[in-house]
């Protein structure tokens, strides 16, 4: 099924759990794919393929390497493996987001699939795969971006466009406050993200700048940001409303339902787990709690980044926490960043559990 066409004659088709972008003429393509990736001028198609075999089932590679796996996918799609490049993901093509923006006579269209609930990470996080010693890594969760620009771009501009796409993806995740699953940081992407950029090399319009100061760069940034956010919403429900939740804001600091239950069950006459869960999730979306505890999270971030002293952050947090009735008490000023994180996290956890006790007789359903 054709889902998109451009004035230059290129088309996007959705079939066999894939979206295939076909070219009507010569194209300059830059991709991160290990299968015919890099800068190419001889490709006829690019694709994004869903490798998810079904709900709850693990994805697997059909060949010893990712490149060989993608070559088999290309053959299944009826493409010439020599003349195409592609990416794969566990995200559904049914939930792909497509966004188009125009500046002057140039149009940029982003096709994005995204899912980060399992594999979201921050650049520089601890890694587990040593390519020198093993052939394949096993992460899941990916943001794949196909970007089509219907003008010609210099090789430098095409490469700069990849930086703009990456900045836009990271900015979208920052605005959603997405947690890394590998550290206490905010996610900037995943370790398996991919991108394919396509420019029309025989177009009459040729541009040489796709950076943030250029209008085309602005257009690329805007459509990629919008498409990443929409793809995350479509795939996993990740959106501002989902993030309006204390547990989602604080999980990267170890504040989860499980960790809170482990603290709570030692209290006298505790609720059983189902009722505890109902009360906690009713509390976790309250505006005053989300606002104040999000402030604490940001203060912890700024201390860990070296932008605030632990003492300044502690003093800034005390008044709003006390206004919520959270027991700040006579805790000493934290001596360093780790002590600040430990103290603030402990106060937030104990304050939430005190609220659970206060509201234990009026459980609320999860929203």
């Amino acid at each position: 099924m054709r889902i998109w066409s451009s004035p230059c004659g290129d088309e996007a088709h959705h079939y066999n759990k894939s979206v295939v972008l076909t070219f009507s003429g010569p194209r300059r393509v830059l991709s991160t794919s290990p299968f015919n990736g890099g800068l190419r001028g001889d490709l006829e198609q690019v694709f994004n393929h869903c490798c998810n075999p079904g709900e709850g089932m693990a994805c697997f590679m059909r060949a010893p390497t990712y490149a060989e796996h993608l070559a088999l996918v290309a053959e299944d799609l009826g493409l010439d493996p020599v003349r195409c490049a592609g990416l794969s993901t566990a995200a559904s093509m049914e939930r792909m987001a497509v966004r188009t923006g125009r500046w002057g006579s140039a149009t940029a269209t982003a096709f994005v699939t995204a899912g980060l609930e399992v594999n979201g990470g921050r650049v520089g996080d601890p890694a587990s795969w040593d390519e020198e010693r093993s052939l394949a890594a096993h992460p899941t969760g990916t943001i794949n971006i196909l970007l089509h620009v219907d003008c010609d771009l210099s090789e430098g501009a095409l490469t700069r466009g990849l930086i703009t796409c990456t900045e836009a993806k990271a900015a979208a995740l920052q605005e959603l406050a997405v947690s890394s699953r590998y550290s206490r940081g905010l996610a900037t992407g995943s370790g398996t993200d991919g991108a394919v950029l396509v420019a029309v090399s025989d177009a009459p319009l040729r541009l040489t700048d796709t950076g943030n100061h250029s209008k085309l760069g602005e257009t690329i940034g805007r459509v990629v940001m919008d498409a990443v956010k929409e793809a995350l919403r479509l795939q996993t429900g990740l959106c501002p409303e989902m993030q309006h939740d204390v547990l989602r804001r604080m999980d990267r600091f170890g504040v989860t339902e499980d960790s809170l239950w482990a603290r709570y069950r030692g209290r006298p006459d505790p609720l059983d787990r189902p009722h505890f869960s109902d009360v906690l999730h009713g509390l976790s979306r309250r505006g005053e709690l989300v606002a104040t505890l999000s402030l604490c999270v940001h203060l912890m971030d700024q201390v860990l980044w070296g932008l605030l002293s632990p003492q300044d952050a502690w003093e800034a947090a005390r008044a709003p926490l006390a206004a919520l009735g959270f027991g700040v008490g006579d805790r000493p000023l934290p001596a360093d960043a780790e002590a600040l994180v430990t103290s603030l996290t402990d106060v937030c956890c104990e304050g939430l559990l005190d609220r659970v006790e206060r509201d234990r007789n009026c459980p609320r359903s999860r929203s």
Side-chain angles (χ1 to χ4, degrees):
M1 177 178 66
R2 187 178 71 178
I3 60 172
W4 172 86
S5 60
S6 73
C8 68
D10 294 353
E11 296 181 341
H13 296 262
H14 179 197
Y15 66 98
N16 288 3
K17 298 174 66 176
S18 305
V19 168
V20 179
L21 187 59
T22 63
F23 307 148
S24 61
R27 302 292 178 259
R28 205 184 313 276
V29 178
L30 178 67
S31 87
T32 62
S33 176
F35 168 63
N36 296 331
L39 182 64
R40 302 287 295 260
D42 60 345
L43 302 183
E44 298 173 352
Q45 298 98 4
V46 293
F47 64 85
N48 188 14
H49 170 71
C50 174
C51 61
N52 192 339
E55 187 71 27
M57 301 174 65
C59 300
F60 65 93
M61 289 210 307
R62 296 164 53 191
T65 68
Y66 187 28
E68 293 171 299
H69 167 82
L70 290 171
L72 293 176
V73 170
E75 291 178 354
D76 290 346
L77 294 173
L79 310 179
D80 180 354
V82 177
R83 298 294 181 188
C84 68
L87 305 170
S88 71
T89 175
S92 170
M93 294 302 121
E94 303 284 349
R95 295 165 182 163
M96 171 180 277
V98 182
R99 291 290 184 272
T100 297
R102 175 179 291 277
W103 170 72
S105 56
T107 300
T109 301
F111 306 81
V112 178
T113 54
L116 280 186
E117 290 298 289
V118 175
N119 195 35
R122 185 174 183 83
V123 64
D125 278 353
S128 59
W129 180 36
D130 183 346
E131 188 177 4
E132 185 178 359
R133 293 177 170 81
S134 65
L135 289 176
H138 305 283
T140 59
T142 298
I143 296 176
N144 281 346
I145 300 168
L146 304 183
L147 179 72
H148 182 281
V149 181
D150 67 349
C151 65
D152 188 18
L153 295 176
S154 66
E155 292 184 359
L158 193 62
T159 307
R160 183 60 178 83
L162 182 60
I163 295 176
T164 302
C165 280
T166 304
E167 290 182 359
K169 174 188 67 176
L173 300 185
Q174 180 189 49
E175 291 182 5
L176 289 169
V178 179
S179 298
S180 169
R181 299 305 177 193
Y182 303 96
S183 72
R184 295 182 299 198
L186 289 166
T188 54
S190 87
T192 54
D193 291 351
V196 179
L197 280 66
V198 179
V200 181
S201 51
D202 61 351
L205 175 64
R206 177 181 171 84
L207 298 175
T208 61
D209 191 348
T210 53
N212 295 338
H213 294 303
S214 73
K215 297 303 291 185
L216 179 58
E218 174 195 337
T219 302
I220 291 170
R222 178 163 36 83
V223 299
V224 171
M225 283 182 68
D226 289 348
V228 168
K229 289 181 178 180
E230 178 64 4
L232 288 168
R233 186 190 69 81
L234 291 171
Q235 182 65 35
T236 63
L238 180 58
C239 62
E241 292 75 20
M242 176 183 280
Q243 295 296 82
H244 189 268
D245 188 305
V246 166
L247 299 180
R248 292 191 66 87
R249 298 295 184 91
M250 299 198 72
D251 62 349
R252 57 194 173 98
F253 288 97
V255 182
T256 65
E257 181 180 334
D258 287 342
S259 69
L260 289 168
W261 169 249
R263 281 176 174 247
Y264 173 77
R265 63 185 179 182
R267 292 192 171 199
D269 188 28
L271 292 167
D272 61 23
R273 179 64 185 263
H275 289 96
F276 169 81
S277 181
D278 283 345
V279 176
L280 176 64
H281 282 272
L283 285 167
S284 68
R285 300 184 66 82
R286 290 189 185 176
E288 74 276 12
L289 292 176
V290 176
T292 300
L293 272 59
S294 295
L295 169 64
C296 292
V297 167
H298 193 49
L299 289 171
M300 290 191 283
D301 281 335
Q302 293 207 44
V303 170
L304 291 171
W305 299 336
L307 298 177
L308 285 176
S309 72
Q311 296 77 21
D312 288 343
W314 179 249
E315 290 300 327
R318 287 174 60 91
L321 286 171
L324 287 177
F326 282 29
V328 179
D330 297 324
R331 292 171 180 260
L333 285 175
D336 53 34
E338 290 301 322
L340 181 279
V341 169
T342 298
S343 292
L344 274 185
T345 301
D346 189 60
V347 169
C348 292
C349 288
E350 290 302 314
L352 285 171
L353 296 181
D354 290 342
R355 283 293 188 98
V356 168
E357 280 295 289
R358 194 184 76 179
D359 289 10
R360 63 182 291 158
N361 294 320
C362 51
R364 304 180 181 189
S365 298
R366 299 185 190 186
S367 54

